[in-house]
Amino acid sequence: LLGEPVPAPDIELDPTSLTYGQVAVGSSITLSSTINNVGTADLELGTLVVVGTSEFAISVDPSGATLAPNNGTEVFVSYTPVDTGSDTAYVEIPSNDPDENPVFLDLNGAELPLPDIDVDPLAVDFGDVDINNTSTLPVTVANLGSATLNVTGVSLSGTSEFSFSSATLPGSLGIGGSTTVYVTYAPVDEVSDTGTLSFDSDDPDEPTVVVTLIGGPTPMPDIDVDPWTVDFGEVKVNSSDSAWVTIFNV
């Protein structure tokens, strides 16, 4: 008896899964897998689809391709995380392979934990403060990210009437942590003052956050008299004389 096997396609993936590791939210990484035909007849691919989270997407799509024996093509899949946590999905690859239809390309990725600084408020207005008195207002620094925030510097610029105090900064804030910085304004003259309070950190998209500081002295009265001297000259005994003196608030 004599016989020959019927030619048939045979699909093979290399690799069979794509692992993206940790990727920063808003960033994208693209990996690829090769679809090989290790059979003896043409391999015809159907329409490839991603099943699972939308953070994965096919960027180079070989859907509908025909692969001759011992030939291959690549499918490229991008991963762009949009929130915290791990993500999984798979690419469904249909074909005319008689015993492996469809095959699946597994996808795995996760968000890269990052700090996220939040400073509130971004402008501190002390209003009017009496000269040689002080006013103190709070500024809250919080970490809204998914990794420890390292605040590496806190600095003031502007007039010397502003100062600040902090029990914890520079320093680190854990996930969800916050602290308060107290800013004091002590005017010494009748000139309005401005300044800035800057926070430097390892937040990747806000390495420096600047708070605007505004303050002024309480308006003070200023008396003036005209004339300062009144000379009545000689006035008879038991008589009287008068003169006008004007008082101004200048």
Side-chain angles (χ1 to χ4, degrees):
L1 298 175
L2 297 174
E4 292 183 2
V6 176
D10 187 5
I11 193 170
E12 182 179 83
L13 292 180
D14 183 24
T16 58
S17 65
L18 300 178
T19 300
Y20 295 82
Q22 294 181 327
V23 181
V25 170
S27 298
S28 182
I29 289 182
T30 299
L31 299 177
S32 67
S33 177
T34 301
I35 304 171
N36 293 305
N37 179 11
V38 296
T40 56
D42 287 351
L43 176 69
E44 298 175 359
L45 300 181
T47 300
L48 281 65
V49 294
V50 174
V51 179
T53 176
S54 60
E55 278 95 333
F56 297 100
I58 298 173
S59 54
V60 177
D61 187 355
S63 293
T66 298
L67 303 178
N70 300 314
N71 279 269
T73 188
E74 287 186 291
V75 53
F76 289 82
V77 183
S78 62
Y79 174 52
T80 308
V82 298
D83 52 20
T84 61
S86 300
D87 296 298
T88 60
Y90 61 86
V91 179
E92 183 178 278
I93 307 173
S95 72
N96 63 335
D97 184 306
D99 60 359
E100 294 179 284
N101 181 30
V103 294
F104 303 101
L105 176 63
D106 293 325
L107 310 172
N108 300 278
E111 176 224 6
L112 175 66
L114 293 173
D116 183 11
I117 191 171
D118 181 73
V119 179
D120 184 45
L122 291 175
V124 178
D125 188 346
F126 290 89
D128 294 333
V129 179
D130 292 345
I131 293 176
N132 296 322
N133 287 332
T134 64
S135 176
T136 300
L137 294 175
V139 174
T140 300
V141 181
N143 178 16
L144 304 182
S146 55
T148 297
L149 173 72
N150 296 302
V151 179
T152 56
V154 184
S155 59
L156 269 175
S157 65
T159 61
S160 60
E161 280 90 338
F162 296 106
S163 61
F164 76 92
S165 63
S166 172
T168 57
L169 298 183
S172 299
L173 292 176
I175 300 171
S178 65
T179 189
T180 301
V181 176
Y182 294 94
V183 185
T184 298
Y185 175 53
V188 297
D189 53 32
E190 297 181 9
V191 179
S192 295
D193 298 291
T194 60
T196 59
L197 179 65
S198 299
F199 297 91
D200 298 322
S201 74
D202 60 352
D203 183 311
D205 61 353
E206 292 181 287
T208 300
V209 178
V210 178
V211 177
T212 302
L213 308 177
I214 304 170
T218 301
M220 302 292 290
D222 187 4
I223 192 170
D224 189 23
V225 178
D226 183 36
W228 282 97
T229 302
V230 177
D231 185 355
F232 287 95
E234 295 180 351
V235 179
K236 292 181 179 180
V237 175
N238 295 324
S239 296
S240 64
D241 198 357
S242 62
W244 288 99
V245 174
T246 304
I247 301 173
F248 300 94
N249 177 12
V250 296

